[in-house]
Amino acid sequence: MTKQYSLKNLDCPMCAQRIEDDLNKLPEVRSVSVNFSTLSMHVDTDSINTVRDRLRATEPDIKMLDSSAKDGSQT
């Protein structure tokens, strides 16, 4: 299932590319697209916890925010 997330503290196009490349290597991820211009990420996975853990390992300062949550909760 593809979901959209906002990426808080993403301040570099190279970081966006590094995140996308790193997440694409995960077998649990069917597809991922990181857009630096909109500070967003679309990810198709059944294991969002694995994606969140890898994102923290790759770029610890970046926070994933669920774009569909009305209160902007973090995942």
Side-chain angles (χ1 to χ4, degrees):
M1 172 170 130
T2 302
K3 280 191 78 173
Q4 180 175 337
Y5 296 90
S6 297
L7 297 176
K8 187 177 179 184
N9 299 327
L10 178 63
D11 59 3
C12 158
M14 299 288 278
C15 297
Q17 187 63 54
R18 183 174 29 251
I19 291 167
E20 187 173 306
D21 291 345
D22 201 34
L23 293 178
N24 268 316
K25 293 176 185 173
L26 293 173
E28 298 89 350
V29 172
R30 289 180 285 279
S31 69
V32 63
S33 174
V34 177
N35 186 321
F36 175 70
S37 299
T38 61
L39 303 177
S40 66
M41 173 175 71
H42 288 84
V43 62
D44 184 4
T45 185
D46 293 325
S47 183
I48 198 62
N49 289 332
T50 302
V51 170
R52 184 181 57 239
D53 292 346
R54 180 62 66 96
L55 177 64
R56 283 185 190 146
T58 303
E59 293 290 335
D61 294 332
I62 295 176
K63 307 289 184 229
M64 266 175 59
L65 305 175
D66 188 342
S67 296
S68 65
K70 294 186 192 264
D71 63 357
S73 18
Q74 265 183 242
T75 62

